[in-house]
Structures are given as structure tokens and as C-alpha cells.
Amino acid sequence: MPYTSVIRREVFRHDGISLADEQEAVARRYTTNPRLLHWVHEMVDLCTPDTVHWCDGSKDEYDFLAGLMCETGTFIRLNDGLRPNSYFCRSDPADVARVEDRTFICSYKPEDAGPTNNWRNPAEMKGILHGLYEGAMRGRTMYVIPYSMGPIGSPIAKIGIEITDSPYVVCSMSIMTRVGKEVLAALGPDSDFCRGLHSVGMPLEKEQPDVPWPCNEKTKYIVQFPETREIMSYGSGYGGNALLGKKCFALRIASAMARDEGWLAEHMLILKLTDPKGESIYVAGAFPSACGKTNLAMLTPTLPGWKVETVGDDIAWMKFGDDGRLYAINPEAGFFGVAPGTSMKSNASAMQTITRNSIFTNCAITGEGDVWWEEMSDKPPAYLVDWMRRPWTADSGRKAAHPNARFTTPASQCPVIAPEWQDPKGVPISAILFGGRRATVMPLVNESLSWQHGVFLGSIMSSEKTAAAAGKIGVVRHDPMAMLPFCGYNMGDYFSHWLKVGGATTSDKLPRIFYVNWFRKDAKGKFLWPGYGENSRVLKWVFERVTGRADVVETPIGRLPKPAAIDLSGLDLSRDTLKQLLTVDTQGWLAEIPLIKQHFAQFGDHLPQGLRDEVAKLEAGLRKGL
Ligand code: OXD
Ligand code: MN
């Protein structure tokens, strides 16, 4: 490992080679950026790792670290005949999801974090964290990961450096982001970067054996400092807490950057939709965690001749181009998808993506050395070992995989990846979808009456809670723009920012905004809409709205399709059911109004007047129709 430097503390004392000199010599092989060199040295002094490794993002490095993790029991290599170059991994049961109650936004002023974030004074928080990081990497290697969010050199891309003591994080980051020397070359000697420090929070004493999934069971902190663009994560190895390029940088820190610089960093998929004549549009979509973003981004349309291709499945960074249109890049390079429920039926493209070069966390493992999770096949294998290392059969009466079990897989392997997914200038967005998991009230699809009304629809998004974060499943909560856990500043200001973005170009260049709900149920609790590939029927209507070809019914909640405008050909769904899916539930909406007002009240003066106007207009419109 040519880029690893061993910190020989003993030798240092006797032979006069200073730790700083040795570090400097190794680090300078990579970068001369003084801020980076200084920061790494500081972190070495604080965390006192045994060795420092500068990541080059190479295949050799990945293979070496994966092999190391096989030796320590973190990874099990899957059967190469079934799933080549892939690894299976089980986390500690206390470390399976994002921890929203341990996630902090440490802006200088509490009101800049807002009522939906946990705020702490940045200096006090740094004091606490420095205490925890002191010696936290003892007995471990410190990895320095230079990564780019977005294609290297794209005017929309940004560079981050993650320091971590977890080889699992290194391997995952090299799938999920662009890692290596090219990033440091792009950073150059002068530029700044987002600093991210991560430790599993489990130093090893001399001779102390490691565990397969080191973490700190009791103490976890996922901390963002938006003004200084810094991240500090402690105690967890789980993706959303530990792969700092993803939620911490690409959403929490980037949303604050986007506010300051006039762009949008959003929890959105990006898809390319092509009609049978070969005309294409690009659509972005915000849905809360584990509500089917990956499935929608890779959808196989049931409508003949229609095609969906994937640009991204989780995050979109959007900036205005010179032509006044909003261009989006996917800042990630991989998919960190929810495994349970993923099957050839629900998402064949995802299943093909994960056939190789992938990491599986908290799934079950088969006798043949492959992975399995609920709904992967109609019938489970006769015998499995579950995610908690227990023998499992169909009669066990419990799930074999954790409901938030994940795959980590390269986006380039996706059979429906759009050829332009890495285009540095991004793709022009024509439509934005907002959507949640709601059994009642919200219709199948509804187009906003204006940009401001669309921002209002996004701001009142609500959804039943899923397993992607710790907490009670199924409870309905407002999750504006699916950003509740990810907005790095006051959400009232975030709404103002969205409104301001709408004024940055002419209305014909702005994306149209739609609210969709695939999850509406009948009185017996059965889904009214079949979902999955059939969602192409809704996408077709969106396409036709964008290209000016579909009719609408104007209602107080927005523009709904005339039932005949949704193409039901070849689908066994009665027009009656469709009518149910497309009616305005006036009473249901009126019952939402106090909840919306309550939700808005928490933002106080930070709530923009435009949204107050929209709720008043909505209420008046609904009452008029009674
Ligand atoms: C994710 C999430 O992992 O939203 O993408 O939790
Ligand atoms: Mn997500």
C-alpha cells in the first residue's frame, strides 16, 4: 500500500523523524493544498490513529480493503459464481438506520437551524465532539477520502474530503462517489472543500480484538456546521450517518450552499422520459425515504413505446443554465437502495444492477452464499441465516432481512442508466414531482396552478414514516419536499428560497410542479392504484401537460386530469376506481387545513407570505365548493 504512512510514535522519539515530517512527505505525494494538509495533520493529532491512508479510489485499493474486511469478519465474500465481486455485511443491531434525534444543525444562530432541526451552539458542540474524537482512532487506520459530488470538473459538482476510520465507509464511498487523485487534481492547491470527519467511535486498545461492525452503541452524533461547511459524525457506521458525501454534504450542507448561491440541492430522483415518437423530457421527483424513488427512477413502463431511463435515484443538484432553464446533475455515482421489496417484478433494472460489484448490508444469506430479502422471490429459499446471524426458515415468524437492509451498487451498471447521466452540464428539468405515502385524501396526480402553488404543495407534503430512519413506522408526518431530515437550515427560509428561485427565470422555463400519490387505499385498506410500471400512465399525463397536449379540470387543490386523459389501455382498472383516485376529497382536505396551519405556525416569521396566501386561497376555494 504505497500511500499508507505508518505513524511510528516510538521511532519518532528516538530517531528524530518528526511525525509531521513523515505525514507531510506522504501527504505531499497527493496534494500541496495547504488547507487540506493542515486539516489532516490536525485530525491525526486529535484522533491519534495508528496509520494514515490516503485513498486513491483504485480497484486495487477497494480489493485490498474488502479483503481486509473479510479477514476481520466485517465482510463475507458472496459466491462469485452467483454474484461476482460482491460482499455481504451485517451491522450491529444498534446501528441500522439514520438517527434523526442524534442529527444536529449547528448554525451560529438557533433560528437559522429552525424548528425542524436539532440545534446546538457550534462552539459547544465542537467541544463535546473534540472530547469524543480525542484518541478515537487509536488502534485503527485513518483513511483520507477525496471525493467529488458530481462529475469531476462539472460546474455544478463540489469536492469533499472525508476522514474516516472505517474501511466499510471507504469501499462504500468509492461506489457512491467519485474518489481519488483526479479529485485532488481538480481541488488544486488553492480551493476549499467540505470537511467531513467520521469515526465509528470505538478505539482499540493494545491486543483488543476488533468486532465485525465497530460502532458506539451508546453515543452517536451526526453534526453539520452549515456556515463553515463542516461535518462531524461519530459513533455510527450506517450509510446515511457515515457516508458523508450523501445526506450530510449533498443535502444538509449543500442546501445551505444552494441558499447562499441561488440553486437547489434536493432529495430527488432524476429520470428521462421518452415517448413512442422519441421525444424526451427530464423529470425530478421528491419522495420521502423508502417511498419508491429508486423504483420510479428505473421504472419499466407498461405503456408500449414509452421509456424511462435513470439519471439519479436520490439526490438532485439543480442550477439555472444560460438559457434560463433549470439543469440537474446527480451528485452521486452509485445507488444505496432499500433491498426488501426489490424484485424482478418491482424493479428488474435494480436487480440487474446488483448482480455484481455490490455491497449488501443487513440482508439474509443463503446456503449457496448469495443474499436474499423479503419479496426478492415469491418463495423464500428453504434455509437462510438472517441478518442477526440466526438460522431462518419461512416458519420462523420474523423477517429474514432488516426492513432497512441496503444494497450499495455502481450506477454505471444500471441497464437503464441514461447515456447523459454524467453530462457535466446536467439535464434540463421540465417537471418536478412531489409525493408521499398517503392512504387517504391526496389524489393520484395533481398539477400545481403556479410555481408558488407548487412550492405550497411541496411544503405540505406528508407521508407515513418508513424504516429508513429510527422511530415509529406508519405515523403520518409533514415532510416538506422530502427534506425534513435533510434541510441544513430553517425550513421557513428554505420555502422562501424556493419561491425566490421561481422568480429567477421566466415562467415558461420553470419546471411544472405536480403532486402524486401512488399509495391511496380503499375503505378495506387495499391499494387503489397498482403502482410500479403502471405509474408510467401518470408520467405520460405529465409528459402531455409539459408538451401542452393534455386536458385538465381546474379545482381548488390544483389541476387534475380529466379521467379520460389517463391512459388505462391494457390495465384492469375500472373508470370508477380512477374517478375515486382523481376526485377532490373536499372534507378530507378541509380536515387537513388546521394541520397545515399548525405545521406552518412553527416557522413563525420565517414562513413566507406567499405560502400563507396559498393556504388561505385553498381554504376559501374548498369552502366555496361545499
Ligand atoms: C436514503 C434515505 O438512504 O433517504 O436515501 O434515508
Ligand atoms: Mn434518500
Side-chain angles (χ1 to χ4, degrees), residues 247 267 289 293 314:
K247 302 302 184 182
H267 192 202
S289 306
K293 277 204 299 298
D314 195 42

Side-chain angles (χ1 to χ4, degrees), residues 98 100 238-240 246-247 251 267 287-290 293 313-315 332 336-338 404 406 466 468-469 482 485-486:
R98 285 185 291 99
E100 291 179 9
Y238 170 76
K246 194 174 179 62
K247 302 302 184 182
L251 290 175
H267 192 202
F287 297 80
S289 306
K293 277 204 299 298
D313 81 326
D314 195 42
I315 298 174
E332 301 190 279
F336 180 63
V338 178
N404 195 33
R406 297 280 178 146
T466 67
F486 307 123

Side-chain angles (χ1 to χ4, degrees), residues 437-452:
R437 189 181 276 272
R438 286 294 304 266
T440 59
V441 187
M442 301 299 160
L444 179 63
V445 58
N446 172 24
E447 184 188 342
S448 72
L449 301 164
S450 62
W451 179 265
Q452 175 170 291

Side-chain angles (χ1 to χ4, degrees), residues 270-272 282 309-313 328 330 417-418 420-421 427:
I270 310 165
L271 63 83
K272 177 182 182 184
Y282 298 92
E309 288 161 285
T310 314
V311 177
D313 81 326
N330 168 13
I417 198 80
E420 60 276 52
W421 80 281
V427 295

